[in-house]
Amino acid sequence: MTEKQVLALMERIQSYFQSFQIKPYIIDEWYKVLSEYDNTDVNKQFDNHLKSESIDPPKLHLLIKHLDKTNEKRPDSFICKCKYCGSNIKTRVDLLNIKKHEDRCRSVQYLKKVYRKYLNREIENEDELYSMDDKVFNANYDQVLKKLLELPNLSESEQYCINKYFGNEANITESISSLAKDKKMEEMSYDDRMAVRKNPYYG
């Protein structure tokens, strides 16, 4: 907060609580403390004090209670570039949007790969795949994987990963299983089995 903002806050307080004094030395002391905090945050604290219906003006320590100093605050959102498609992702600090986007992006990249490799064509509705509801996308994605399993030229490693993904252990032949062991894919966790959805490098 600037000194002008501190004074404006004190005048707000005095307008509600006539007993609150504004003197030069008080302004100086308040400014020393409040200069490290955001003006909007501190004023919101005062708004909360008014809602509490207290008959006393707020103490300085109450106005900064639980607030982060300006130099300690993390942004509400930031832009991150997807390492798969290169698009910008606006996300919260918790990174959930990044993970969600990259999971979808890996899935779409994998579909593009298998369409080229096995169907000899490009995906025409790429934008639609990104905008689909998760449930709809997953249903379409699973349908494509099932069709891939019917192809006679599907690579053994791809067969292994897709069957693992669907939990079709009975469909994994000895030769495919042996290949998987050679590639160290036998001890796949659930997340690894999901990699057929997320990573375009199998096969």
Side-chain angles (χ1 to χ4, degrees), residues 148-163:
L148 287 176
L149 286 174
E150 298 173 359
L151 297 177
N153 61 333
L154 188 67
S155 70
E156 290 184 322
S157 58
E158 208 109 42
Q159 289 180 51
Y160 176 85
C161 291
I162 295 174
N163 276 304

Side-chain angles (χ1 to χ4, degrees), residues 139-150:
N140 281 276
Y141 187 87
D142 288 358
Q143 187 176 16
V144 172
L145 293 188
K146 288 174 181 177
K147 287 183 178 179
L148 287 176
L149 286 174
E150 298 173 359

